Amino acid sequence: GLLEFLGHVELQKEHQKVDTKAVDRNAAAELMKQAEAEKLEELKSWLASGELATIAGALEKVGVKGKDDLTRLDEKAFEGLLAEMSDTTFDLLLENVKGLGHEGAPSSAEELREKMRETAAAQEAQRQRQAELSRLEQQRRQEEEARVADELSRWLASVGLTNPTTAAPALKKVGVKAKDDLKGLRAKEFEVLLAAMSEADFDLLLENVKGLGHESAPSSAAELRHAADTKKRQEAAAAKKAAPKLKTSIWDTSG
């Protein structure tokens, strides 16, 4: 019984401890609320004394909750305030804010407005500069693409294909935009080209592509076709091997 009783007393003490913590927290929150309300009251009476009672709402918008916040207003906040009131009221506010010790405050509504105009003009000039640079860059890219395409078509003409008109779209299809791209063509791309042109033209193209320095190009249309056929046959055989064998009859026990 005694132990139980002592345990009960301890438990009550614990509860009280928790409760006092909660009470302390509530009291602290209450005090803070009170202090904030007092700060706001002080701000309002200060505003009223300077005939600025009407701008309390505008100040709240830029985060002013007390008199000391006024000395921390930055340029962006001043711009926000200027938009909310007349120049006369703004100048009166500035005078009072400077009186509180704000050294970085603008000297007048006019001065701030002038600064805003200058900033806007500088930003616009920067935007135009950027747009002009982008335009020039795009123009340069287009001219380069045209030059490269022209060089490729001139090279194709010099190769002496019997039908150069079929070669151009086929080359485009495999991603050839410049003469240099021809050196990087792979077997699969050569197959696409061969499908689009005659063997004679293809062999002529191969000869010239090798002349550009392509070392792994097929030696001829016939060789490429043979390699492609062999690959197809090998793939078909591999697929057949991998496919499950079907029993021909129920008596067939061979797997």
PDB file of all heavy atoms in Angstrom, residues 129-147:
ATOM      1  N   ARG A 129      19.942  44.727 -75.119  1.00  0.00           N
ATOM      2  CA  ARG A 129      21.288  44.234 -75.472  1.00  0.00           C
ATOM      3  C   ARG A 129      21.275  42.718 -75.603  1.00  0.00           C
ATOM      4  O   ARG A 129      21.813  42.144 -76.545  1.00  0.00           O
ATOM      5  CB  ARG A 129      22.289  44.640 -74.379  1.00  0.00           C
ATOM      6  CG  ARG A 129      23.238  45.756 -74.818  1.00  0.00           C
ATOM      7  CD  ARG A 129      24.495  45.818 -73.968  1.00  0.00           C
ATOM      8  NE  ARG A 129      24.298  45.703 -72.536  1.00  0.00           N
ATOM      9  CZ  ARG A 129      23.931  46.721 -71.752  1.00  0.00           C
ATOM     10  NH1 ARG A 129      23.698  47.923 -72.264  1.00  0.00           N
ATOM     11  NH2 ARG A 129      23.787  46.542 -70.459  1.00  0.00           N
ATOM     12  N   GLN A 130      20.625  42.078 -74.622  1.00  0.00           N
ATOM     13  CA  GLN A 130      20.553  40.614 -74.589  1.00  0.00           C
ATOM     14  C   GLN A 130      19.811  40.096 -75.819  1.00  0.00           C
ATOM     15  O   GLN A 130      20.230  39.122 -76.439  1.00  0.00           O
ATOM     16  CB  GLN A 130      19.823  40.183 -73.305  1.00  0.00           C
ATOM     17  CG  GLN A 130      20.190  38.810 -72.779  1.00  0.00           C
ATOM     18  CD  GLN A 130      21.677  38.572 -72.657  1.00  0.00           C
ATOM     19  OE1 GLN A 130      22.396  39.352 -72.066  1.00  0.00           O
ATOM     20  NE2 GLN A 130      22.158  37.504 -73.266  1.00  0.00           N
ATOM     21  N   ALA A 131      18.692  40.784 -76.162  1.00  0.00           N
ATOM     22  CA  ALA A 131      17.888  40.369 -77.312  1.00  0.00           C
ATOM     23  C   ALA A 131      18.702  40.497 -78.598  1.00  0.00           C
ATOM     24  O   ALA A 131      18.663  39.624 -79.476  1.00  0.00           O
ATOM     25  CB  ALA A 131      16.623  41.227 -77.404  1.00  0.00           C
ATOM     26  N   GLU A 132      19.478  41.584 -78.700  1.00  0.00           N
ATOM     27  CA  GLU A 132      20.306  41.813 -79.888  1.00  0.00           C
ATOM     28  C   GLU A 132      21.399  40.737 -79.997  1.00  0.00           C
ATOM     29  O   GLU A 132      21.659  40.200 -81.074  1.00  0.00           O
ATOM     30  CB  GLU A 132      20.929  43.221 -79.807  1.00  0.00           C
ATOM     31  CG  GLU A 132      21.810  43.620 -80.984  1.00  0.00           C
ATOM     32  CD  GLU A 132      21.113  43.607 -82.344  1.00  0.00           C
ATOM     33  OE1 GLU A 132      19.869  43.512 -82.412  1.00  0.00           O
ATOM     34  OE2 GLU A 132      21.837  43.689 -83.347  1.00  0.00           O
ATOM     35  N   LEU A 133      22.011  40.402 -78.860  1.00  0.00           N
ATOM     36  CA  LEU A 133      23.052  39.355 -78.850  1.00  0.00           C
ATOM     37  C   LEU A 133      22.463  38.012 -79.290  1.00  0.00           C
ATOM     38  O   LEU A 133      23.074  37.295 -80.078  1.00  0.00           O
ATOM     39  CB  LEU A 133      23.664  39.213 -77.450  1.00  0.00           C
ATOM     40  CG  LEU A 133      24.650  40.300 -77.025  1.00  0.00           C
ATOM     41  CD1 LEU A 133      25.061  40.103 -75.567  1.00  0.00           C
ATOM     42  CD2 LEU A 133      25.901  40.282 -77.902  1.00  0.00           C
ATOM     43  N   SER A 134      21.262  37.702 -78.772  1.00  0.00           N
ATOM     44  CA  SER A 134      20.591  36.445 -79.143  1.00  0.00           C
ATOM     45  C   SER A 134      20.305  36.421 -80.644  1.00  0.00           C
ATOM     46  O   SER A 134      20.483  35.390 -81.298  1.00  0.00           O
ATOM     47  CB  SER A 134      19.281  36.271 -78.388  1.00  0.00           C
ATOM     48  OG  SER A 134      19.534  36.217 -77.008  1.00  0.00           O
ATOM     49  N   ARG A 135      19.834  37.586 -81.154  1.00  0.00           N
ATOM     50  CA  ARG A 135      19.499  37.671 -82.587  1.00  0.00           C
ATOM     51  C   ARG A 135      20.748  37.434 -83.440  1.00  0.00           C
ATOM     52  O   ARG A 135      20.733  36.686 -84.416  1.00  0.00           O
ATOM     53  CB  ARG A 135      18.894  39.046 -82.888  1.00  0.00           C
ATOM     54  CG  ARG A 135      18.240  39.157 -84.263  1.00  0.00           C
ATOM     55  CD  ARG A 135      17.831  40.588 -84.573  1.00  0.00           C
ATOM     56  NE  ARG A 135      18.971  41.488 -84.659  1.00  0.00           N
ATOM     57  CZ  ARG A 135      19.808  41.536 -85.692  1.00  0.00           C
ATOM     58  NH1 ARG A 135      19.659  40.716 -86.716  1.00  0.00           N
ATOM     59  NH2 ARG A 135      20.819  42.390 -85.694  1.00  0.00           N
ATOM     60  N   LEU A 136      21.854  38.104 -83.047  1.00  0.00           N
ATOM     61  CA  LEU A 136      23.109  37.959 -83.795  1.00  0.00           C
ATOM     62  C   LEU A 136      23.620  36.521 -83.754  1.00  0.00           C
ATOM     63  O   LEU A 136      24.107  35.990 -84.750  1.00  0.00           O
ATOM     64  CB  LEU A 136      24.180  38.910 -83.226  1.00  0.00           C
ATOM     65  CG  LEU A 136      23.979  40.393 -83.525  1.00  0.00           C
ATOM     66  CD1 LEU A 136      24.977  41.244 -82.751  1.00  0.00           C
ATOM     67  CD2 LEU A 136      24.119  40.679 -85.028  1.00  0.00           C
ATOM     68  N   GLU A 137      23.490  35.910 -82.568  1.00  0.00           N
ATOM     69  CA  GLU A 137      23.944  34.522 -82.405  1.00  0.00           C
ATOM     70  C   GLU A 137      23.132  33.586 -83.300  1.00  0.00           C
ATOM     71  O   GLU A 137      23.680  32.705 -83.958  1.00  0.00           O
ATOM     72  CB  GLU A 137      23.815  34.123 -80.918  1.00  0.00           C
ATOM     73  CG  GLU A 137      24.154  32.682 -80.595  1.00  0.00           C
ATOM     74  CD  GLU A 137      25.538  32.245 -81.044  1.00  0.00           C
ATOM     75  OE1 GLU A 137      26.457  33.097 -81.157  1.00  0.00           O
ATOM     76  OE2 GLU A 137      25.710  31.041 -81.308  1.00  0.00           O
ATOM     77  N   GLN A 138      21.812  33.814 -83.339  1.00  0.00           N
ATOM     78  CA  GLN A 138      20.942  32.984 -84.178  1.00  0.00           C
ATOM     79  C   GLN A 138      21.287  33.166 -85.656  1.00  0.00           C
ATOM     80  O   GLN A 138      21.357  32.200 -86.419  1.00  0.00           O
ATOM     81  CB  GLN A 138      19.476  33.364 -83.919  1.00  0.00           C
ATOM     82  CG  GLN A 138      18.510  32.329 -84.469  1.00  0.00           C
ATOM     83  CD  GLN A 138      17.054  32.717 -84.242  1.00  0.00           C
ATOM     84  OE1 GLN A 138      16.778  33.712 -83.601  1.00  0.00           O
ATOM     85  NE2 GLN A 138      16.145  31.924 -84.749  1.00  0.00           N
ATOM     86  N   GLN A 139      21.522  34.426 -86.028  1.00  0.00           N
ATOM     87  CA  GLN A 139      21.884  34.741 -87.416  1.00  0.00           C
ATOM     88  C   GLN A 139      23.198  34.040 -87.791  1.00  0.00           C
ATOM     89  O   GLN A 139      23.318  33.446 -88.853  1.00  0.00           O
ATOM     90  CB  GLN A 139      22.046  36.264 -87.553  1.00  0.00           C
ATOM     91  CG  GLN A 139      22.179  36.743 -88.990  1.00  0.00           C
ATOM     92  CD  GLN A 139      22.379  38.258 -89.035  1.00  0.00           C
ATOM     93  OE1 GLN A 139      21.806  38.994 -88.235  1.00  0.00           O
ATOM     94  NE2 GLN A 139      23.201  38.723 -89.942  1.00  0.00           N
ATOM     95  N   ARG A 140      24.160  34.105 -86.846  1.00  0.00           N
ATOM     96  CA  ARG A 140      25.468  33.474 -87.097  1.00  0.00           C
ATOM     97  C   ARG A 140      25.299  31.966 -87.279  1.00  0.00           C
ATOM     98  O   ARG A 140      25.881  31.370 -88.180  1.00  0.00           O
ATOM     99  CB  ARG A 140      26.396  33.757 -85.907  1.00  0.00           C
ATOM    100  CG  ARG A 140      27.854  33.364 -86.149  1.00  0.00           C
ATOM    101  CD  ARG A 140      28.636  33.299 -84.856  1.00  0.00           C
ATOM    102  NE  ARG A 140      28.128  32.308 -83.928  1.00  0.00           N
ATOM    103  CZ  ARG A 140      28.283  30.998 -84.086  1.00  0.00           C
ATOM    104  NH1 ARG A 140      28.903  30.509 -85.135  1.00  0.00           N
ATOM    105  NH2 ARG A 140      27.794  30.159 -83.184  1.00  0.00           N
ATOM    106  N   ARG A 141      24.440  31.378 -86.415  1.00  0.00           N
ATOM    107  CA  ARG A 141      24.198  29.928 -86.507  1.00  0.00           C
ATOM    108  C   ARG A 141      23.574  29.560 -87.849  1.00  0.00           C
ATOM    109  O   ARG A 141      23.978  28.590 -88.494  1.00  0.00           O
ATOM    110  CB  ARG A 141      23.275  29.495 -85.368  1.00  0.00           C
ATOM    111  CG  ARG A 141      23.991  28.663 -84.312  1.00  0.00           C
ATOM    112  CD  ARG A 141      23.050  27.765 -83.516  1.00  0.00           C
ATOM    113  NE  ARG A 141      21.770  28.360 -83.206  1.00  0.00           N
ATOM    114  CZ  ARG A 141      21.542  29.089 -82.114  1.00  0.00           C
ATOM    115  NH1 ARG A 141      22.502  29.326 -81.245  1.00  0.00           N
ATOM    116  NH2 ARG A 141      20.341  29.574 -81.883  1.00  0.00           N
ATOM    117  N   GLN A 142      22.567  30.364 -88.257  1.00  0.00           N
ATOM    118  CA  GLN A 142      21.881  30.083 -89.527  1.00  0.00           C
ATOM    119  C   GLN A 142      22.840  30.209 -90.709  1.00  0.00           C
ATOM    120  O   GLN A 142      22.815  29.393 -91.634  1.00  0.00           O
ATOM    121  CB  GLN A 142      20.694  31.041 -89.704  1.00  0.00           C
ATOM    122  CG  GLN A 142      19.488  30.638 -88.850  1.00  0.00           C
ATOM    123  CD  GLN A 142      18.415  31.731 -88.801  1.00  0.00           C
ATOM    124  OE1 GLN A 142      18.676  32.873 -89.163  1.00  0.00           O
ATOM    125  NE2 GLN A 142      17.236  31.396 -88.322  1.00  0.00           N
ATOM    126  N   GLU A 143      23.689  31.254 -90.666  1.00  0.00           N
ATOM    127  CA  GLU A 143      24.659  31.450 -91.757  1.00  0.00           C
ATOM    128  C   GLU A 143      25.642  30.286 -91.820  1.00  0.00           C
ATOM    129  O   GLU A 143      25.990  29.812 -92.898  1.00  0.00           O
ATOM    130  CB  GLU A 143      25.421  32.772 -91.565  1.00  0.00           C
ATOM    131  CG  GLU A 143      24.596  33.984 -91.974  1.00  0.00           C
ATOM    132  CD  GLU A 143      25.209  35.306 -91.534  1.00  0.00           C
ATOM    133  OE1 GLU A 143      26.314  35.291 -90.950  1.00  0.00           O
ATOM    134  OE2 GLU A 143      24.573  36.358 -91.770  1.00  0.00           O
ATOM    135  N   GLU A 144      26.069  29.826 -90.622  1.00  0.00           N
ATOM    136  CA  GLU A 144      27.008  28.698 -90.545  1.00  0.00           C
ATOM    137  C   GLU A 144      26.363  27.434 -91.104  1.00  0.00           C
ATOM    138  O   GLU A 144      26.972  26.694 -91.874  1.00  0.00           O
ATOM    139  CB  GLU A 144      27.452  28.504 -89.084  1.00  0.00           C
ATOM    140  CG  GLU A 144      28.404  27.349 -88.841  1.00  0.00           C
ATOM    141  CD  GLU A 144      29.711  27.435 -89.625  1.00  0.00           C
ATOM    142  OE1 GLU A 144      30.067  28.514 -90.142  1.00  0.00           O
ATOM    143  OE2 GLU A 144      30.380  26.390 -89.714  1.00  0.00           O
ATOM    144  N   GLU A 145      25.080  27.202 -90.718  1.00  0.00           N
ATOM    145  CA  GLU A 145      24.362  26.025 -91.221  1.00  0.00           C
ATOM    146  C   GLU A 145      24.226  26.078 -92.743  1.00  0.00           C
ATOM    147  O   GLU A 145      24.413  25.071 -93.420  1.00  0.00           O
ATOM    148  CB  GLU A 145      22.970  25.931 -90.576  1.00  0.00           C
ATOM    149  CG  GLU A 145      22.992  25.317 -89.180  1.00  0.00           C
ATOM    150  CD  GLU A 145      21.678  25.484 -88.421  1.00  0.00           C
ATOM    151  OE1 GLU A 145      20.647  25.761 -89.068  1.00  0.00           O
ATOM    152  OE2 GLU A 145      21.691  25.347 -87.176  1.00  0.00           O
ATOM    153  N   ALA A 146      23.901  27.284 -93.256  1.00  0.00           N
ATOM    154  CA  ALA A 146      23.746  27.445 -94.708  1.00  0.00           C
ATOM    155  C   ALA A 146      25.074  27.197 -95.415  1.00  0.00           C
ATOM    156  O   ALA A 146      25.130  26.534 -96.457  1.00  0.00           O
ATOM    157  CB  ALA A 146      23.241  28.851 -95.020  1.00  0.00           C
ATOM    158  N   ARG A 147      26.165  27.723 -94.819  1.00  0.00           N
ATOM    159  CA  ARG A 147      27.501  27.567 -95.441  1.00  0.00           C
ATOM    160  C   ARG A 147      27.880  26.077 -95.513  1.00  0.00           C
ATOM    161  O   ARG A 147      28.327  25.573 -96.545  1.00  0.00           O
ATOM    162  CB  ARG A 147      28.533  28.334 -94.614  1.00  0.00           C
ATOM    163  CG  ARG A 147      29.933  28.343 -95.216  1.00  0.00           C
ATOM    164  CD  ARG A 147      30.974  28.859 -94.237  1.00  0.00           C
ATOM    165  NE  ARG A 147      31.169  27.971 -93.089  1.00  0.00           N
ATOM    166  CZ  ARG A 147      31.807  26.807 -93.154  1.00  0.00           C
ATOM    167  NH1 ARG A 147      32.283  26.358 -94.296  1.00  0.00           N
ATOM    168  NH2 ARG A 147      31.949  26.073 -92.062  1.00  0.00           N
TER     169      ARG A 147
END
